[in-house]
Amino acid sequence: MIDAFRELDLPRRPGHPESEIKTAFLERAKTLHPDRQTGDAKKFESLRAAYDLLKNPATRLRHLITLETGQSPKTAPPTGHFELFSAVCQIVEQTRTALPEATRASNSLARSLAAVQLAKLIKAASEIASRLDVMEQNLSSRLADLDASWPQLEAAATLASDFAFTAKCRHQLSECLFELNDSLRGMRQGNT
């Protein structure tokens, strides 16, 4: 197993900002990139893998725990915020139902009603996205606190799970918003 921190010449800490990780990657990549005279494709791929591992807080924390203990951390359910995660699941399900209905709308009245439903879902999804923003800020604060009191392996495992679950919710919500906006835009263009 590689030590991604060593690959990027960074200390083993949980709280590295993404900008710091990117800067470390770019500095090392200057000499290792295969297009450079001093480049080395194998070492560059290893460097790229280290960067990809550390730029994500959840994978960074899991990697750090594995380095420190020699074992992969157990995945735990997220702590708190179950109402928010439930709201994401509801939006996903409502989107899966509303999009086919909007596609089947065959007359002006049905399309108008479908457009209103899509707009309501977009508004609800956007509100949930704002709540996820707050949650992600809270997770970043917890990461900074963890970094200040490092090592706390159990807290790191919990935080890794929270980051991973929040990222999954963000991804699902982003997909819903994209599909809803795309469908609504298509309906409006079809009505003109």
Side-chain angles (χ1 to χ4, degrees):
M1 178 173 81
I2 68 162
D3 180 342
F5 293 93
R6 184 180 303 138
E7 287 284 325
L8 293 173
D9 199 25
L10 292 170
R12 285 187 184 176
R13 302 288 302 184
H16 293 288
E18 188 177 338
S19 60
E20 180 183 355
I21 295 166
K22 185 175 184 176
T23 299
F25 167 73
L26 292 173
E27 283 299 313
R28 301 273 330 268
K30 284 179 188 177
T31 57
L32 294 177
H33 195 279
D35 292 343
R36 306 274 313 203
Q37 192 173 33
T38 58
D40 182 324
K42 188 175 179 181
K43 287 182 181 178
F44 181 78
E45 281 304 312
S46 181
L47 181 70
R48 180 72 181 172
Y51 172 67
D52 288 340
L53 186 74
L54 294 185
K55 72 180 179 180
N56 178 307
T59 57
R60 180 183 335 130
L61 287 166
R62 286 188 184 116
H63 180 63
L64 187 56
I65 292 167
T66 302
L67 290 172
E68 295 293 321
T69 65
Q71 298 177 348
S72 297
K74 291 184 171 77
T75 303
T79 56
H81 303 286
F82 294 110
E83 185 272 325
L84 180 59
F85 300 139
S86 175
V88 171
C89 291
Q90 287 175 346
I91 287 292
V92 169
E93 190 57 38
Q94 290 170 355
T95 298
R96 288 182 182 154
T97 302
L99 289 174
E101 290 175 4
T103 303
R104 288 190 302 266
S106 59
N107 61 47
S108 295
L109 179 59
R111 282 191 298 274
S112 293
L113 291 172
V116 167
Q117 177 63 20
L118 294 179
K120 285 180 181 178
L121 285 172
I122 290 168
K123 182 179 181 197
S126 297
E127 289 170 357
I128 294 169
S130 295
R131 292 170 55 201
L132 273 175
D133 290 341
V134 171
M135 186 174 177
E136 288 168 342
Q137 290 170 354
N138 177 275
L139 290 174
S140 294
S141 293
R142 287 174 50 199
L143 183 60
D145 292 345
L146 178 66
D147 190 65
S149 61
W150 186 251
Q152 289 188 10
L153 299 176
E154 190 172 313
T158 300
L159 191 54
S161 293
D162 288 353
F163 266 115
F165 201 75
T166 302
K168 182 178 179 180
C169 286
R170 171 69 70 187
H171 178 74
Q172 290 176 327
L173 197 57
S174 294
E175 282 185 352
C176 286
L177 279 166
F178 175 80
E179 292 173 1
L180 290 166
N181 280 304
D182 189 52
S183 182
L184 186 58
R185 189 172 27 261
M187 291 179 76
R188 288 181 177 154
Q189 290 172 348
N191 286 338
T192 56

